[in-house]
Amino acid sequence: MSRFEKTAFLPESLQPGLPYSDELVVFVAREVVTLDDAIPFANAVAVQNGRIVAAGERELIENAFKGKAFTYRVDNSFADAVIYPGFIEAHMHPQISGALHRYEFIGRYDRHRPDGSMITGIKTRAALAARLRELVDAHRSTCSDGEWFNAWGLDPLVLDDRSLIARDFLDQIATDIPIAVQHMSAHLIALNSKAIELCGIETLDLPGIRRDANGRATGELAASAGPLNDLVVSKGGLCLARDEADMDKASWDIAKIASLNGCTTIAEKGLLIGMIRPGLEAYIRASQSEDYPVRLVLEPWFAAMIKDGPGTMRASYQALKQRVHNDRISIGNLKLLLDGSIQGFSANLLDNQYYNGNPNGNLQMPDERALELFGEAHRSGISCSVHTNGNGATEQLLRVVEALQAEYPRADVYHSSEHCQLATEEQLWRMKKVGLRPNFFINHIHFWGDAHAAETVGPHYVKRQNPLRSAMRHGLTFGIHSDDWVTEVNPLLSAWVAVNRRSASDQVYGEDQCLTVDEAMRAITLGNAAMLGQEHIKGSVTPGKLADFTVLAEKVSEANKETFRDIPVLATVLGGKIFKQR
């Protein structure tokens, strides 16, 4: 192989009459990690009209352009840095996360604000009570009488005392004003007595209202995207967006955090969800600004596509796709939910595998209903992203996809199992057989690993959570994600967890499931691009793909595998436009 062959060009880029109008820029770096095996070494990448036109050795790229008398500009902004393909977050809830920043964060782990400053996490039950009293006192002094106090990020399982934090705990903070606290897991809400009274919870007979042995409401609601959540919002609690301005701010605030952590594309897994209904217009407005720092892949909530009745899904989906008209925004899969969360004890597990005797979580629908919904999408060639935290829900998804592929085989869909935390070896084998792609919630190992070992699935099954190495062995296409607002969107952190599988207390859970550094970096780029059906335009530094890059202060390698999550993100590049981060 000649040296010239080691440098790749978009075929038409060296033809007479360059078919582009924008300036041709050659970005120079200490190294460009292409993740394209055809380009083994690169220290430069050429960009024009938002696309990569060449990647490889700077000298060879410049010689080729000079030989054709092309006018170009060399950009040395990253001469001492390392360029990666743009990081992709393939599962999060951007507008909900952005909107939650209206309220106080009271979670266990440090978290960024949209302005880049850090919120310090609260580690103990006593510190949480003290902080809530402080916040509620401030709320009383600035808000009208009876106005709800709202907060988010709660999870007793990651505090020093793992006992319930709900009605009785919150009543110690205040009984005169309603309090609503969104759990970190997204599947639970905690209320005090005043909020319970306003919502009429005590006398309601609805699934998700948790009660003590005497039948009294504990104040903990399993309320994810359901009628209980809508009830709380209707009474004034956790109302995430009041108007168009709120929606615009939420869309921008989360984009700033995602870009700060190196993302160039983020996926909205639940567009038009009940919690934030007018989100599409805000996303479209944001995407029309050249200063919006990320691309968006919007996956509509399945229920929103069938609200006009049976048989309307395909038409609703196509109408939605026609609403987006630029390369910053696209419509992806349909999103469906089959169970809850493991730490909320609402995930559906095979044979009730909960460690401490808690009852199993319920499936959200019977197989017949799942087949009906999936069937219309599958036969229409529309892929579905399906929330399956527990392996019982994964089993239901496999039953449905296997039945559909037997009845109507097609290779042009990429249904996915989202979160897929406890998949068995046999389930992974079956996924490969029917083309199902797992998108693993790997961050759980770090944020909840200790709680899972002690409280939820126990010390054996926690080692099997998010079985990435097994997925590699089965030859599966897979991604890893943050599920922000659940954990902060940060692909480099997700990759670090995939490599090290270390919990917050530095325990390693499932060493045999660790990825290599190269495999983890491919997961947050090429893997996540494939989860969104966009590997043809994103995920590697390859001529013809979008010019989206993440610029790091140093290279991620096996030598720094224990610390690479702390490598600074210096900038992101979106279609050739630079967004400086630090």
Side-chain angles (χ1 to χ4, degrees):
M1 179 184 290
S2 70
R3 290 182 70 238
F4 188 82
E5 288 172 330
K6 296 178 184 178
T7 296
F9 294 84
L10 192 64
E12 59 265 32
S13 67
L14 295 182
Q15 301 303 315
L18 196 65
Y20 300 107
S21 57
D22 286 1
E23 180 184 37
L24 177 60
V25 179
V26 178
F27 290 102
V28 175
R30 188 191 325 155
E31 183 174 351
V32 179
V33 180
T34 66
L35 297 182
D36 184 335
D37 294 336
I39 312 171
F41 172 78
N43 60 6
V45 54
V47 174
Q48 191 171 49
N49 220 43
R51 296 271 177 168
I52 300 167
V53 298
E57 297 182 53
R58 174 184 178 178
E59 177 187 355
L60 300 180
I61 290 174
E62 289 201 71
N63 285 344
F65 289 155
K66 289 174 181 175
K68 295 291 184 179
F70 292 158
T71 300
Y72 65 93
R73 175 174 64 86
V74 174
D75 190 315
N76 287 302
S77 301
F78 313 132
D80 295 323
V82 179
I83 293 176
Y84 276 86
F87 295 168
I88 298 170
E89 173 53 70
H91 187 126
M92 63 181 295
H93 305 276
Q95 284 177 338
I96 295 177
S97 183
L100 278 168
H101 279 275
R102 287 182 55 201
Y103 301 130
E104 298 292 342
F105 177 73
I106 57 168
R108 160 68 174 79
Y109 299 100
D110 296 352
R111 195 168 186 126
H112 282 102
R113 295 184 181 91
D115 65 4
S117 63
M118 190 70 75
I119 308 168
T120 302
I122 300 170
K123 298 176 176 59
T124 69
R125 188 181 181 94
L128 175 62
R131 179 63 175 149
L132 281 172
R133 288 190 185 98
E134 176 187 328
L135 292 170
V136 169
D137 286 345
H139 173 83
R140 281 197 186 95
S141 67
T142 58
C143 298
S144 58
D145 290 344
E147 185 172 337
W148 286 64
F149 172 80
N150 300 288
W152 65 290
L154 175 67
D155 196 325
L157 291 184
V158 294
L159 297 177
D160 61 330
D161 178 347
R162 292 176 173 148
S163 56
L164 179 69
I165 293 178
R167 180 181 196 162
D168 293 339
F169 179 88
L170 295 175
D171 281 352
Q172 297 174 44
I173 309 301
T175 56
D176 59 320
I177 61 171
I179 296 177
V181 181
Q182 178 75 60
H183 267 238
M184 184 178 173
S185 72
H187 289 269
L188 297 171
I189 293 174
L191 305 177
N192 71 344
S193 289
K194 187 66 175 178
I196 290 170
E197 176 190 342
L198 288 174
C199 294
I201 296 293
E202 201 69 76
T203 58
L204 285 177
D205 183 20
L206 286 175
I209 299 175
R210 295 185 171 171
R211 300 182 185 275
D212 62 21
N214 298 317
R216 175 177 176 263
T218 65
E220 189 172 74
L221 308 179
S224 174
L228 286 174
N229 180 85
D230 292 343
L231 174 62
V232 173
V233 171
S234 72
K235 298 299 182 180
L238 294 169
C239 180
L240 299 185
R242 297 161 298 190
D243 53 30
E244 187 176 282
D246 278 349
M247 293 305 308
D248 287 338
K249 187 175 188 305
S251 303
W252 278 85
D253 279 353
I254 192 58
K256 292 173 184 176
I257 294 173
S259 181
L260 178 76
N261 288 326
C263 289
T264 56
T265 292
I266 61 176
E268 164 62 85
K269 294 281 184 174
L271 179 70
L272 306 175
I273 194 172
M275 296 174 75
I276 296 188
R277 289 188 175 87
L280 176 62
E281 300 303 328
Y283 277 138
I284 291 174
R285 287 191 294 271
S287 73
Q288 291 169 342
S289 169
E290 289 188 1
D291 293 326
Y292 195 64
V294 295
R295 300 186 198 273
L296 297 161
V297 179
L298 310 181
E299 299 198 359
W301 199 246
F302 212 114
M305 296 294 98
I306 58 173
K307 61 182 176 58
D308 295 326
T312 62
M313 182 272 296
R314 183 176 183 179
S316 296
Y317 179 77
Q318 294 301 328
L320 185 62
K321 291 190 73 171
Q322 292 173 12
R323 298 289 307 283
V324 299
H325 302 290
N326 66 68
D327 66 3
R328 294 287 186 92
I329 188 169
S330 59
I331 302 299
N333 297 359
L334 297 183
K335 174 70 185 301
L336 194 66
L337 182 138
L338 291 185
D339 72 342
S341 73
I342 298 171
Q343 69 274 34
F345 300 97
S346 56
N348 182 259
L349 309 187
L350 288 171
D351 303 320
N352 192 15
Q353 293 172 353
Y354 282 116
Y355 179 60
N356 60 0
N358 273 285
N360 204 0
N362 295 322
L363 293 169
Q364 296 293 305
M365 65 186 72
D367 283 15
E368 294 75 16
R369 177 61 172 161
L371 269 168
E372 178 186 352
L373 294 177
F374 275 98
E376 186 177 355
H378 181 85
R379 286 186 287 272
S380 300
I382 300 173
S383 302
C384 298
S385 299
V386 189
H387 171 117
T388 57
N389 255 315
N391 48 20
T394 300
E395 184 68 21
Q396 182 185 44
L397 176 59
L398 275 164
R399 289 194 300 266
V400 169
V401 173
E402 286 166 345
L404 288 173
Q405 288 287 31
E407 173 208 358
Y408 199 99
R410 60 185 316 156
D412 60 340
V413 294
Y414 50 99
H415 302 311
S416 66
S417 174
E418 299 291 320
H419 308 322
C420 195
Q421 292 203 59
L422 291 165
T424 67
E425 290 291 329
E426 189 254 359
Q427 286 177 336
L428 295 173
W429 178 82
R430 288 160 63 197
M431 285 182 190
K432 178 64 176 178
K433 191 174 180 181
V434 296
L436 190 63
R437 298 178 177 181
N439 191 3
F440 295 105
F441 193 175
I442 188 60
N443 286 14
H444 255 259
I445 296 295
H446 180 64
F447 290 97
W448 280 284
D450 298 324
H452 288 316
E455 299 284 345
T456 66
V457 298
H460 171 70
Y461 285 115
V462 70
K463 296 177 182 179
R464 277 290 309 176
Q465 271 192 281
N466 298 287
L468 305 187
R469 173 57 54 198
S470 292
M472 291 287 298
R473 285 197 298 266
H474 287 284
L476 285 163
T477 296
F478 67 88
I480 58 178
H481 64 266
S482 70
D483 199 20
D484 192 332
W485 79 95
V486 182
T487 69
E488 183 173 312
V489 50
N490 187 339
L492 201 58
L493 172 63
S494 297
W496 177 87
V497 180
V499 169
N500 294 284
R501 293 183 68 95
R502 291 186 180 276
S503 72
S505 69
D506 212 31
Q507 297 296 309
V508 176
Y509 294 111
E511 190 171 4
D512 61 317
Q513 293 295 334
C514 293
L515 296 185
T516 67
V517 165
D518 179 68
E519 290 165 345
M521 297 305 288
R522 287 174 184 268
I524 63 173
T525 50
L526 280 165
N528 284 347
M531 295 307 300
L532 303 177
Q534 296 189 338
E535 63 267 43
H536 60 297
I537 55 171
K538 298 174 183 175
S540 64
V541 180
T542 299
K545 290 190 175 185
L546 294 168
D548 294 354
F549 314 125
T550 300
V551 184
L552 301 182
E554 61 182 280
K555 186 177 180 179
V556 179
S557 69
E558 292 295 329
N560 60 15
K561 63 181 288 186
E562 305 248 349
T563 60
F564 73 79
R565 65 175 176 174
D566 298 320
I567 294 175
V569 176
L570 302 179
T572 57
V573 178
L574 205 67
K577 178 180 173 64
I578 297 174
F579 292 84
K580 288 285 179 67
Q581 303 303 331
R582 290 181 173 88

